[in-house]
Amino acid sequence: MGIDEYGGGQRAQSDILVVTTNDVPGFHVERVIGEVFGLTVRSRHLGSQIGAGLKSLVGGELRGLTKTLVETRNQAMERLVEQARSRGANAVLMFRFDVSEAADVGTEVCAYGTAVVLTPQA
């Protein structure tokens, strides 16, 4: 598996800037729209659970689960970006992920941040 299968983040052509910082150098916040989030819950595949159980006996990375988590985070982030866009934002500040168990049947991933309108500083 290549590095592309384990990476995440924004696509280069995105019209919505997503950053983990409180501000963006060279820009000022013209308007705060508010909290936005993208949420997804994924169940575990039985085959990957069995494979993970066997792998845990000998140690090492659980590649199938790693790939699933990356895909899940990317989906949550895409939903966050769509929500920000639909509310008129051009950026999301203070971006974070929250990951938790969902009723012992899957993993919940929430991508969240503050949707804003940024304008270049004069």
Side-chain angles (χ1 to χ4, degrees):
M1 289 188 213
I3 190 68
D4 292 340
E5 294 177 293
Y6 294 104
Q10 281 187 285
R11 308 253 184 258
Q13 298 85 0
S14 181
D15 58 328
I16 306 291
L17 177 66
V18 179
V19 297
T20 60
T21 57
N22 296 334
D23 52 23
V24 177
F27 290 84
H28 74 274
V29 176
E30 179 179 306
R31 181 168 52 107
V32 174
I33 295 171
E35 179 195 6
V36 289
F37 66 90
L39 180 67
T40 185
V41 178
R42 294 273 179 109
S43 64
R44 292 179 192 86
H45 181 274
L46 180 60
S48 69
Q49 281 186 301
I50 292 170
L54 293 173
K55 185 72 171 187
S56 69
L57 295 174
V58 295
E61 181 180 11
L62 305 174
R63 289 180 182 243
L65 293 176
T66 299
K67 186 175 178 185
T68 298
L69 185 55
V70 167
E71 291 168 353
T72 304
R73 283 180 171 228
N74 287 343
Q75 183 178 48
M77 187 169 186
E78 288 169 11
R79 290 177 178 176
L80 165 99
V81 167
E82 284 300 314
Q83 189 180 85
R85 182 182 296 116
S86 73
R87 294 180 63 191
N90 66 357
V92 176
L93 304 179
M94 298 176 285
F95 169 74
R96 303 287 188 267
F97 279 115
D98 184 50
V99 180
S100 60
E101 292 295 313
D104 262 353
V105 296
T107 302
E108 171 191 346
V109 175
C110 182
Y112 63 96
T114 303
V116 299
V117 175
L118 293 179
T119 55
Q121 290 178 341

